[in-house]
Amino acid sequence: MSNRGQPKSDVLQGTLDLMVLQTLDTLGPLHGYAIAARLEQVSSGAVRLNMGTLYPCLMRLEQRGFVRAAWKVTENNRKARFYDVTALGRRHLGKEKQEWDRTVSIMHAVLREGAN
């Protein structure tokens, strides 16, 4: 599941919430391990989360009303909390994606400044 040839990336402050919400919005309800595995997969192993990082994020998102959790049974017949993005979470995700795009645009402009 991981790409051992690449160093582990530290998740930028504030981006984990965005990545988790996007993952849930794309794939639907998932348990914590599946969220972590998906983020590792789509980042080609650059993002490897431990549960001590992911679960506080999920708790924070749930407290803010951006996700809801429910106990279900996994494909391995184990009980786990599955998280699903709420309508409020989808609206928040849309705003955060716009802000991220704006930030990236600003960074590109600043970093290109010396290249001209």
Side-chain angles (χ1 to χ4, degrees):
M1 180 167 59
S2 67
N3 190 342
R4 301 286 181 226
Q6 292 182 334
K8 177 182 169 193
S9 294
D10 291 327
V11 177
L12 289 173
Q13 186 72 25
T15 60
L16 181 57
D17 291 7
L18 180 59
M19 289 190 291
V20 168
L21 287 172
Q22 179 64 44
T23 300
L24 293 174
D25 190 47
T26 301
L27 298 179
L30 295 171
H31 52 80
Y33 180 79
I35 294 168
R38 178 63 178 175
L39 289 173
E40 185 172 339
Q41 177 189 31
V42 298
S43 71
S44 300
V47 174
R48 286 181 271 154
L49 300 173
N50 65 52
M51 295 303 114
T53 301
L54 180 59
Y55 283 108
C57 169
L58 289 167
M59 184 180 298
R60 183 174 57 252
L61 292 171
E62 187 175 12
Q63 288 171 344
R64 292 178 180 165
F66 298 154
V67 301
R68 73 175 67 84
W71 287 100
K72 296 182 184 179
V73 177
T74 68
E75 59 280 353
N76 297 331
N77 208 28
R78 293 192 172 145
K79 283 183 77 173
R81 282 176 60 98
F82 280 70
Y83 298 87
D84 193 15
V85 67
T86 63
L88 179 62
R90 280 190 183 86
R91 287 192 299 275
H92 179 72
L93 175 61
K95 291 175 190 171
E96 289 299 309
K97 286 166 70 171
Q98 286 180 337
E99 184 59 30
W100 180 257
D101 288 341
R102 182 178 163 278
T103 300
V104 168
S105 178
I106 291 167
M107 289 301 295
H108 278 292
V110 171
L111 295 175
R112 276 193 300 257
E113 181 179 34
N116 294 334

